[in-house]
Amino acid sequence: MNRAERRRQERLAKKGATGGAPVSTEAAIEGLQSQASEQYRLGRKREALATCRRLLSHAPDRPDIHAFAGMVSLEVDDVPGAIRLYRRAVDLRPDYPEAHYNLGNAYKRSGRGADAAAAYETALEQRPDLGPAWHN
């Protein structure tokens, strides 16, 4: 795909797709990911979360997107939402230590210490050099 086509796909993704049609191309999905990342970077976290929700409706089996949405949810204090999103990320990809670690953070924020400890343990089993998990 050339540069002009990629820009066109990104513009379509920002609109949600042409004529309301579902976003189905990888380039459009990447455009929505870029949009959510930029919104997050600019501190527009609720907008980023809304973009993540749109993105997940088009790419429901992407653990990386669930994990990013979980991070944003946790930062806007939607702890139950973050738990659901991280849980889905690790269901889709059980060998995702960063998602297990962040699931542990969400459980910890919700007061579920035993669940947090189990998530941290899983993260460390999968990636022993995941430093932050050692401190929880």
Side-chain angles (χ1 to χ4, degrees), residues 20-34:
V23 175
S24 58
T25 67
E26 187 60 33
I29 290 169
E30 287 176 17
L32 281 171
Q33 281 183 290
S34 294

Side-chain angles (χ1 to χ4, degrees), residues 79-128:
V79 178
I83 290 170
R84 275 192 310 279
L85 288 158
Y86 283 127
R87 184 77 247 155
R88 181 70 177 138
V90 300
D91 286 346
L92 289 168
R93 186 175 146 203
D95 64 336
Y96 195 169
E98 295 83 359
H100 284 283
Y101 170 72
N102 289 316
L103 176 60
N105 290 339
Y107 281 141
K108 186 176 180 180
R109 287 252 317 255
S110 73
R112 295 170 58 181
D115 290 327
Y120 293 140
E121 185 176 321
T122 300
L124 288 169
E125 286 171 359
Q126 293 179 1
R127 191 169 150 211

Side-chain angles (χ1 to χ4, degrees), residues 2-113:
N2 67 33
R3 189 174 173 158
E5 176 63 17
R6 183 177 197 108
R7 280 196 310 264
R8 186 180 77 76
Q9 290 292 336
E10 288 175 359
R11 281 193 310 276
L12 292 176
K14 287 180 181 179
K15 291 180 186 177
T18 56
V23 175
S24 58
T25 67
E26 187 60 33
I29 290 169
E30 287 176 17
L32 281 171
Q33 281 183 290
S34 294
Q35 181 181 0
S37 294
E38 182 67 5
Q39 289 166 331
Y40 177 80
R41 188 186 70 74
L42 293 172
R44 298 175 2 218
K45 295 176 183 174
R46 292 202 184 278
E47 287 178 46
L49 189 55
T51 301
C52 286
R53 287 185 183 120
R54 277 187 23 225
L55 181 56
L56 285 169
S57 73
H58 301 296
D61 296 329
R62 295 272 306 266
D64 58 321
I65 298 169
H66 284 275
F68 181 76
M71 176 189 70
V72 178
S73 292
L74 202 55
E75 291 196 20
V76 298
D77 295 321
D78 179 9
V79 178
I83 290 170
R84 275 192 310 279
L85 288 158
Y86 283 127
R87 184 77 247 155
R88 181 70 177 138
V90 300
D91 286 346
L92 289 168
R93 186 175 146 203
D95 64 336
Y96 195 169
E98 295 83 359
H100 284 283
Y101 170 72
N102 289 316
L103 176 60
N105 290 339
Y107 281 141
K108 186 176 180 180
R109 287 252 317 255
S110 73
R112 295 170 58 181

